[in-house]
Amino acid sequence: MTAPTSRAQSGWKHDPPPDRAWKGRPGRARSAIAAEQDRAAGGRHRRSVDLGKGRFARASVELKVLPDTRRIRAYLRWSDGGKSPARYLGQVEHDTRAANLAEGWKMAWEKGLLTEEPPAEGSWASSPSVRAVMRANRSKDTRPELRLRSLLHKQGLRYRVAARPLPELRRTADLIFAKPRVAVFVDGCFWHGCPEHLRESHKNAEFWRAKIEGNQARDTETDRLLREAGWTVVRVWEHEDSDVAAARVIGAVRGLPTAHHEPD
């Protein structure tokens, strides 16, 4: 892996740094911004500031350029009771925003500003890594869901989000197309036991195996009940190519043959 290029190597010592070194893309969703910070920090569980008395805040690294010095400065910011404290971390000199964010998080840890938030009392997650996986696998408005919705909307399809295909059945689909009776589920690799990407936890292995197998059994039952009620079920893995997934959904809505999970 090639090491990030420094400012001195890249030749912008006497010029303003390029936007790619510190600016984020405009118009990004909040989920995309949070994911960028998670990657740079090494996981969401490594972004916590201890506020005392059992309280924690989720921090972010902010990059700024001072016009008079032409240097990129990194700051750690978080929220606390309506206020937004900030701590200066230092100057960063890499050619990419990702590398400079990672450097900022490293500085924050070296300065002792961060901590790994302990699990809540009674939490199933026995380690920061497991908590990170659980938090990353949100149940609604995940990045794969948003991307799929966007592609379907561009094709003129209209749908309901996070709704029950059968009101009397407590099973919620990520998307439903009422008239053609198509229910779409976007399944997370962790919670639904993706055969390609599931990494079994070494701690509480039996518990997590039972939990995931229970989810799979529930998925199978949901599919059966919906099919018996005249619905077509399309299941999409979160890792699946969005264009391929959208094509399967469009095919189902328009009456073409479709299937459950399909390999990439």
Side-chain angles (χ1 to χ4, degrees):
M1 182 176 179
T2 304
T5 306
S6 70
R7 172 182 56 82
Q9 293 171 312
S10 65
W12 49 272
K13 180 183 294 186
H14 304 295
D15 299 309
D19 288 353
R20 69 176 183 276
W22 65 283
K23 278 189 176 181
R25 294 193 306 276
R28 293 181 301 165
R30 292 179 62 183
S31 59
I33 296 172
E36 178 189 49
Q37 293 285 340
D38 290 347
R39 288 192 299 269
R44 190 168 301 184
H45 62 289
R46 292 179 58 80
R47 291 178 52 196
S48 294
V49 174
D50 189 345
L51 302 179
K53 297 182 179 180
R55 297 183 305 123
F56 296 87
R58 185 85 61 221
S60 294
V61 168
E62 181 180 19
L63 302 177
K64 287 186 175 182
V65 172
L66 301 183
D68 54 339
T69 63
R70 298 189 178 92
R71 299 289 188 270
I72 303 175
R73 288 187 156 203
Y75 297 83
L76 189 72
R77 290 189 176 276
W78 63 94
S79 296
D80 183 7
K83 299 179 180 179
S84 299
R87 288 287 300 272
Y88 172 61
L89 300 173
Q91 292 186 174
V92 290
E93 303 181 336
H94 299 297
D95 266 358
T96 66
R97 173 177 167 83
N100 285 324
L101 286 175
E103 185 72 17
W105 284 108
K106 180 181 177 183
M107 291 176 178
W109 276 100
E110 291 174 348
K111 292 177 180 292
L113 300 176
L114 299 167
T115 185
E116 289 193 353
E117 184 178 346
E121 184 177 354
S123 172
W124 292 341
S126 56
S127 70
S129 60
V130 172
R131 293 199 304 277
V133 170
M134 292 173 65
R135 287 168 176 163
N137 284 273
R138 301 186 303 171
S139 61
K140 184 180 177 183
D141 293 336
T142 63
R143 293 175 66 187
E145 285 180 40
L146 295 174
R147 172 64 176 161
L148 180 60
R149 286 187 218 164
S150 176
L151 292 172
L152 296 174
H153 195 275
K154 288 178 181 178
Q155 293 297 317
L157 273 63
R158 299 299 179 260
Y159 43 78
R160 292 177 61 194
V161 176
R164 294 183 185 180
L166 303 175
E168 69 277 10
L169 181 65
R170 297 186 61 184
R171 306 291 165 90
T172 301
D174 295 303
L175 302 174
I176 65 170
F177 300 82
K179 189 173 181 179
R181 299 173 74 84
V182 174
V184 180
F185 297 83
V186 181
D187 292 340
C189 290
F190 178 79
W191 289 114
H192 295 264
C194 170
E196 296 182 40
H197 301 105
L198 174 63
R199 300 180 189 176
E200 292 192 3
S201 173
H202 296 295
K203 293 186 177 181
N204 297 331
E206 292 185 5
F207 170 83
W208 287 110
R209 188 176 299 111
K211 180 71 176 175
I212 292 169
E213 288 176 353
N215 289 342
Q216 292 173 325
R218 181 182 173 87
D219 291 342
T220 299
E221 181 187 44
T222 298
D223 294 354
R224 177 181 61 80
L225 292 172
L226 290 180
R227 286 197 301 269
E228 289 175 353
W231 285 75
T232 296
V233 177
V234 181
R235 286 194 176 270
V236 177
W237 285 119
E238 66 174 343
H239 72 263
E240 189 173 343
D241 181 90
S242 298
D243 292 310
V244 174
R248 292 204 291 118
V249 174
I250 293 169
V253 171
R254 293 176 178 170
L256 301 176
T258 188
H260 301 288
H261 290 307
E262 293 183 357
D264 293 344

